[in-house]
Amino acid sequence: TFSYYGTSEGEFKSRYSNHTSSFRHESKRNSTELSKKIWEIKEAGKEHSPTRETGKKAPPHQGGKTKCDLCLTEKLLIVTNQSPFLLNKRTEMISKCRHKNKFLLSKCF
């Protein structure tokens, strides 16, 4: 059993739809580490049945704040996971918050 942590700022429904789309369409096979693993399992001819559960809930970045609770929570879950079967990469720890972009001044023009 493999573990994968992902964040969702909007409705989970749209994120789930994007994930399942990447499981069905080969052109999207490299979208996430989860989809890469699903395609690897498919190519090996094995069955897969991904399940989901909510790890933690956190609010996304809010204008005026310096930190994004959603990204920090995801990073905390990745760091504290001791499983050797974690699909998330440790390089995700240094990635910038993508939720701040909507508050940039350049988005206003």
Side-chain angles (χ1 to χ4, degrees):
T1 303
F2 293 92
S3 300
Y4 175 80
Y5 293 110
T7 59
S8 176
E9 180 178 6
E11 289 185 21
F12 174 78
K13 190 175 180 180
S14 62
R15 178 160 172 87
Y16 184 74
S17 175
N18 287 340
H19 264 306
T20 56
S21 173
S22 67
F23 302 159
R24 291 188 310 269
H25 303 289
E26 194 166 2
S27 62
K28 297 180 180 182
R29 70 180 297 153
N30 294 320
S31 299
T32 64
E33 291 302 315
L34 180 59
S35 61
K36 288 178 191 177
K37 189 64 178 176
I38 294 289
W39 279 97
E40 183 182 307
I41 292 169
K42 277 184 177 182
E43 288 174 348
K46 298 177 184 174
E47 288 190 30
H48 63 88
S49 57
T51 58
R52 69 161 184 93
E53 61 184 64
T54 303
K56 298 244 184 217
K57 289 189 177 187
H61 180 76
Q62 296 173 346
K65 288 190 172 182
T66 57
K67 304 289 182 201
C68 175
D69 289 335
L70 189 58
C71 289
L72 289 174
T73 302
E74 179 185 27
K75 290 175 183 181
L76 180 65
L77 288 170
I78 293 169
V79 166
T80 57
N81 186 304
Q82 299 297 319
S83 171
F85 303 109
L86 182 65
L87 295 177
N88 296 85
K89 294 188 183 268
R90 298 290 182 201
T91 55
E92 291 181 36
M93 302 309 298
I94 58 173
S95 63
K96 291 178 70 176
C97 171
R98 63 186 172 270
H99 306 109
K100 287 184 179 183
N101 292 340
K102 65 182 175 186
F103 295 102
L104 295 176
L105 189 57
S106 62
K107 297 289 182 187
C108 296
F109 300 103

